[in-house]
Amino acid sequence: MILITGASSGLGAALASLYAKENEALTLTGRHAERLQTVANALTPFSNKTITAITADLASESSLEALFDGLTQAPKTVIHCAGSGYFGAIETQRASDIQSLLNNNVTSTILLVRELVKRYKDQAVTVVVIMSTAALAAKAGESTYCAAKWAVRGFIESVRLELKQSPMKLIAVYPGGMDTGFWPSSGKALDTSSFMSADEAAGMLKQALIATQHGYIADITIQRG
């Protein structure tokens, strides 16, 4: 079973579509129940396997515990796509929106990975964490977003060291700009016509996640052309 977070839109929904068409059992999670169920319902005709939608707030410990308690089997792969953006000159950014950004990107990732390690540390579970190229380079007007993504990158690289003798694997993904609903909700006016589509990025990522018996790609950067 593959667990995909942030599956109600964008890259998460695109990945869910690809895996459903390969008859993978899926558990989809997100914060927006109606949108999430719409995605799950649309995929059901393409798959003979179970597609389950579970609404969850990944920044809430109790919500995360309920999510995993509700699974009928351990996931073989977890793809963490959930997150949000918030941009603008630092002096214009509101404290409440900064806190929301940190909850949606940093706290959610830390609590999710913590729960996965607690439950599945001794199992061959692949955990894929989608970040951004903003975790690799500073960008004017994206200060707090970069701070959040750099924090996630440092966290993932540190937990990797803790899991050195574990069969659990952490894969870090750094996609460039995608033409999704992410940008309008971030408050940043941007022409995204030359950006990758979510379907394009999902196809490249799915291909890169194919592992062999003795190797896997640990860090993936997907640049837009």
Side-chain angles (χ1 to χ4, degrees):
M1 182 268 286
I2 299 175
L3 170 65
I4 302 177
T5 77
S8 61
S9 63
L11 181 61
L15 285 165
S17 178
L18 289 180
Y19 284 114
K21 290 170 183 175
E22 290 197 351
N23 267 325
E24 293 279 3
L26 298 174
T27 298
L28 311 180
T29 187
R31 288 173 292 168
H32 304 285
E34 187 175 343
R35 281 176 16 202
L36 189 66
Q37 193 60 56
T38 297
V39 170
N41 291 345
L43 298 181
T44 300
F46 296 101
S47 177
N48 295 322
K49 297 291 181 66
T50 302
I51 298 177
T52 305
I54 304 176
T55 307
D57 177 4
L58 302 183
S60 162
E61 182 177 25
S62 60
S63 185
L64 260 176
E65 289 177 348
L67 168 65
F68 284 100
D69 286 346
L71 299 182
T72 57
Q73 59 181 307
K76 66 176 183 179
T77 303
V78 178
I79 307 179
H80 178 43
C81 299
S84 64
Y86 180 57
F87 304 111
I90 187 59
E91 69 272 17
T92 69
Q93 295 189 28
R94 297 177 296 274
S96 60
D97 289 324
I98 293 171
Q99 188 60 62
S100 179
L101 174 76
L102 295 175
N103 284 339
N104 292 339
N105 292 280
V106 183
T107 303
S108 64
T109 303
I110 291 174
L111 293 184
L112 174 67
V113 172
R114 185 190 69 156
E115 196 67 28
L116 288 167
V117 172
K118 284 168 61 179
R119 292 175 185 252
Y120 310 121
K121 181 178 181 179
D122 297 323
Q123 299 184 42
V125 177
T126 299
V127 181
V128 183
V129 179
I130 311 298
M131 286 177 257
S132 164
T133 50
L136 303 174
K139 299 184 180 184
E142 300 184 18
S143 55
T144 50
Y145 183 69
C146 285
K149 295 304 182 182
W150 286 31
V152 172
R153 179 185 172 193
F155 169 71
I156 293 303
E157 292 186 0
S158 297
V159 176
R160 270 183 181 162
L161 298 177
E162 296 180 20
L163 296 176
K164 206 161 189 181
Q165 306 305 317
S166 167
M168 177 178 281
K169 303 301 181 190
L170 296 185
I171 299 177
V173 181
Y174 305 99
M178 286 184 285
D179 185 16
T180 69
F182 169 90
W183 295 104
S185 66
S186 74
K188 184 171 185 175
L190 200 63
D191 178 8
T192 59
S193 59
S194 64
F195 286 14
M196 296 177 286
S197 69
D199 289 338
E200 288 177 301
M204 287 185 281
L205 175 57
K206 182 176 177 294
Q207 184 66 28
L209 292 177
I210 296 173
T212 65
Q213 182 180 358
H214 299 109
Y216 70 103
I217 298 174
D219 295 276
I220 302 168
T221 300
I222 305 175
Q223 296 285 9
R224 61 184 174 91

